[in-house]
Amino acid sequence: AGQLVDELRAMPAVESVALASALPFDQGLFGTVFRIEGRSGPGQASAAGATYLGVTARYFATMGTPIIAGRDFTHEDGLTSPRVAMISQRTARQHWGDQSPIGTRIRFTDQRQFLIGADGEEPFFTIVGVVGDIRFSSLTDEAPPMVYLPLSQFWDIESLRAVMRTSGTNVVRADDLQGLASRLDPGTSVS
């Protein structure tokens, strides 16, 4: 995946490239349930629902989605690094209200693709950023609550989508993209 991003970034007119497990108005989004560390008292929701998406560093810049608080994912957010997550503004409002979620930790309770920790439990993910809301299913539906994970810490992926931001009048042709992907991995199907 890293080599694909590097090769795409080197194409003329390409300003920014990222990968995602799904895209808006596409299929491949899944729901998840997570628990917020330290919330188990009376009147506090013990579990929260959201849609999750795996993305690489620069996804939000490439898609034009503002980072409202905290930081973006980086190349240092890998499998051997502490687990991190970003959430949408809607998720932050629903579960943290006026308080900042940055630095708080969540644990997913229903997804098998996350590596089991040394304690036999799903690992905690520290929230490092809050991003603007994105409509995923239609322009008229409300933006869903979202949790984003770095693709490098997320391993049960059926397929990847590449997103590119380009400039100028040069066009990136689909044939060039398919040829590049086939050259990097001849067994990969590209659409």
Side-chain angles (χ1 to χ4, degrees):
Q3 188 178 359
L4 176 62
V5 168
D6 292 342
E7 295 269 352
L8 291 172
R9 192 178 297 123
M11 296 179 87
V14 173
E15 291 182 344
S16 182
V17 176
L19 301 176
S21 59
L23 295 175
F25 312 109
D26 189 8
Q27 296 186 8
L29 290 173
F30 297 96
T32 189
V33 176
F34 64 89
R35 295 185 186 281
I36 301 167
E37 184 179 32
R39 291 200 187 170
S40 59
Q44 293 182 322
S46 61
T51 300
Y52 74 88
L53 184 65
V55 301
T56 60
R58 307 266 319 134
Y59 171 80
F60 301 107
T62 303
M63 294 293 286
T65 306
I67 296 176
I68 307 299
R71 69 167 176 89
D72 196 352
F73 295 137
T74 69
H75 299 293
E76 284 76 42
D77 295 320
L79 272 179
T80 59
S81 305
R83 301 289 188 263
V84 294
M86 296 176 75
I87 60 174
S88 65
Q89 262 185 308
R90 180 174 177 191
T91 306
R93 277 192 308 273
Q94 278 184 321
H95 302 292
W96 283 268
D98 293 335
Q99 296 184 356
S100 172
I102 304 299
T104 59
R105 299 191 322 163
I106 60 176
R107 175 178 269 167
F108 296 93
T109 62
D110 66 333
Q111 300 300 328
R112 292 181 305 252
Q113 76 271 18
F114 305 119
L115 300 177
I116 301 297
D119 59 0
E121 298 279 344
E122 302 284 359
F124 279 109
F125 287 70
T126 301
I127 296 174
V128 296
V130 177
V131 298
D133 292 326
I134 299 174
R135 288 183 168 90
F136 271 89
S137 57
S138 82
L139 292 176
T140 55
D141 289 348
E142 191 175 9
M146 296 291 300
V147 175
Y148 299 92
L149 305 173
L151 277 176
S152 55
Q153 295 183 346
F154 176 96
W155 58 274
D156 189 15
I157 301 168
E158 293 179 14
S159 62
L160 289 176
R161 279 80 166 162
V163 293
M164 296 183 295
R165 180 171 290 274
T166 61
S167 66
T169 57
N170 292 335
V171 176
V172 177
R173 296 182 20 227
D175 290 348
D176 295 336
L177 298 176
Q178 289 177 327
L180 171 62
S182 295
R183 182 171 49 80
L184 293 175
D185 186 354
T188 299
S189 65
V190 179
S191 61

